[in-house]
Amino acid sequence: MVIQSTLTPEEFRRYELNRHFRRSMFYFYAFIFAVLTVYALTNPTAPIAIYVVAPVPLLAYSIGGWAAIIRRSNDPDQPAFLPMRYELTTSGVRLDTPKGNSSFTWSDFKAWRKALGVYELTLQNGLLLVFREAAVPQAQIKQLEDLLKKQIQERA
């Protein structure tokens, strides 16, 4: 099966923001904020400054990530904006881009998921292959998902 896909800046921003807020650091900062807030609300002798300090790490993580994603989405050389050709076979995935070619066997992947209009294939080293759901012909979606389930999830 051959899929030719390019993400738009809007799709890239939506996808990256979703990834940013799924990271464990977001939940860590949210937990710290919650603990400090609960402490301040339940302890009448807590300093008032805790209300100002508690949200700072969470806000810094959120705003910093948002700014970085916006900056990267405005970079026309971003690899996600290049035309990519994915060739998925029973032996693996071949990726062809204007900047080079790569081949991966199915054992190189650890997971896949479909979210926000894209398919995300996660490699063992943490890198991602992402292509638009709209790039997959409607008649081939079931075939693609069956291939991904068989090749990636059965090993897990």
Side-chain angles (χ1 to χ4, degrees):
M1 167 181 316
V2 174
I3 300 167
Q4 298 201 22
S5 176
T6 301
L7 293 182
T8 65
E10 294 79 24
E11 290 170 323
F12 178 81
R13 279 191 292 270
R14 185 176 56 241
Y15 170 73
E16 285 295 318
L17 280 169
N18 179 271
R19 277 192 61 225
H20 183 70
F21 290 109
R22 282 189 292 132
R23 290 188 175 111
S24 58
M25 287 306 294
F26 171 74
Y27 294 102
F28 173 74
Y29 291 135
F31 176 75
I32 297 300
F33 171 63
V35 167
L36 290 174
T37 303
V38 167
Y39 170 74
L41 292 172
T42 59
N43 186 351
T45 61
I48 197 80
I50 203 162
Y51 291 106
V52 174
V53 173
V56 169
L58 182 61
L59 287 173
Y61 177 83
S62 299
I63 293 168
W66 177 79
I69 290 165
I70 295 299
R71 181 178 39 82
R72 287 189 2 237
S73 72
N74 290 325
D75 178 8
D77 293 328
Q78 183 68 249
F81 302 150
L82 297 174
M84 295 190 192
R85 181 180 183 275
Y86 298 86
E87 185 177 344
L88 290 84
T89 65
T90 55
S91 60
V93 178
R94 178 167 170 77
L95 174 63
D96 296 319
T97 71
K99 295 197 176 199
N101 306 322
S102 298
S103 292
F104 307 96
T105 63
W106 288 115
S107 62
D108 294 332
F109 294 93
K110 67 179 179 181
W112 75 276
R113 68 185 220 119
K114 182 168 86 170
L116 299 171
V118 299
Y119 283 93
E120 171 187 286
L121 283 66
T122 307
L123 292 162
Q124 295 289 348
N125 62 9
L127 294 176
L128 301 170
L129 300 182
V130 179
F131 55 90
R132 300 174 68 205
E133 181 180 359
V136 181
Q138 194 66 29
Q140 291 183 334
I141 287 178
K142 182 171 177 9
Q143 179 186 358
L144 170 64
E145 291 181 5
D146 288 345
L147 177 67
L148 295 174
K149 285 176 189 173
K150 181 177 186 230
Q151 298 297 338
I152 296 175
Q153 289 182 337
E154 284 187 2
R155 287 185 289 101

